Amino acid sequence: MERGVIGLLMADLSKFQHVLEALQHAQTMGAVAIKEDRTTFQEDDQDCYPRGLVVTLERKDPKWDSLRFLSKHLDWVSLTGKQLNIRPPQPMKFRLTEVAYLNAVADALKERGIDCFPDVHYR
């Protein structure tokens, strides 16, 4: 009986670890995107409003539960409804830099099996 419970606990822990590693990888890739961004004031789009990422995982997906749990316990991740925010390592001066950051984070999460896309609104 104990082996069954331990096996279930290990499976749950591996799901959390997978999601945590995906979030950490996404944050790293976002930092790289910020560092490589060369947006200037003249190039910036003042009509775009980056709002975060929209997660398209089904709520029954085990990764969803892991994501919700981690967002409650990590200060650099927040999840409100299906809106995911991963705090960048530094403030961004331009809106297009933030769009590049969100694209890099979304791509990194997709590589790890967490489906999402950047939420950008235009005026």
Side-chain angles (χ1 to χ4, degrees), residues 6-20:
I6 291 173
L8 288 174
L9 288 174
M10 293 301 285
D12 286 344
L13 285 175
S14 70
K15 290 175 196 170
F16 281 106
Q17 183 176 356
H18 174 74
V19 172
L20 177 60

Side-chain angles (χ1 to χ4, degrees), residues 106-122:
D107 290 344
L109 289 173
K110 285 178 194 172
E111 287 174 7
R112 303 287 177 108
I114 299 174
D115 295 326
C116 59
F117 61 89
D119 185 16
V120 181
H121 293 259
Y122 290 89

Side-chain angles (χ1 to χ4, degrees), residues 44 91-95 97:
D44 198 26
M92 292 175 269
K93 294 180 182 178
F94 304 111
R95 293 178 182 184
T97 303

Side-chain angles (χ1 to χ4, degrees), residues 9-121:
L9 288 174
M10 293 301 285
D12 286 344
L13 285 175
S14 70
K15 290 175 196 170
F16 281 106
Q17 183 176 356
H18 174 74
V19 172
L20 177 60
E21 288 172 357
L23 291 171
Q24 290 171 331
H25 175 68
Q27 187 180 41
T28 301
M29 296 311 294
V32 169
I34 292 171
K35 188 175 182 179
E36 292 177 352
D37 184 66
R38 300 288 176 238
T39 302
T40 64
F41 180 76
Q42 291 79 18
E43 296 170 336
D44 198 26
D45 186 353
Q46 294 298 312
D47 292 331
C48 83
Y49 295 91
R51 299 178 64 187
L53 300 169
V54 176
V55 178
T56 57
L57 290 174
E58 293 292 325
R59 293 185 189 260
K60 294 178 184 177
D61 190 316
K63 288 180 263 184
W64 176 259
D65 292 332
S66 300
L67 197 56
R68 282 187 55 219
F69 177 83
L70 291 169
S71 71
K72 292 178 183 177
H73 297 283
L74 297 174
D75 65 347
W76 51 275
V77 178
S78 66
L79 182 67
T80 306
K82 290 246 178 186
Q83 190 81 25
L84 174 66
N85 288 301
I86 298 175
R87 185 178 337 132
Q90 69 231 27
M92 292 175 269
K93 294 180 182 178
F94 304 111
R95 293 178 182 184
L96 290 180
T97 303
E98 191 169 350
V99 171
Y101 169 79
L102 291 174
N103 282 324
V105 169
D107 290 344
L109 289 173
K110 285 178 194 172
E111 287 174 7
R112 303 287 177 108
I114 299 174
D115 295 326
C116 59
F117 61 89
D119 185 16
V120 181
H121 293 259

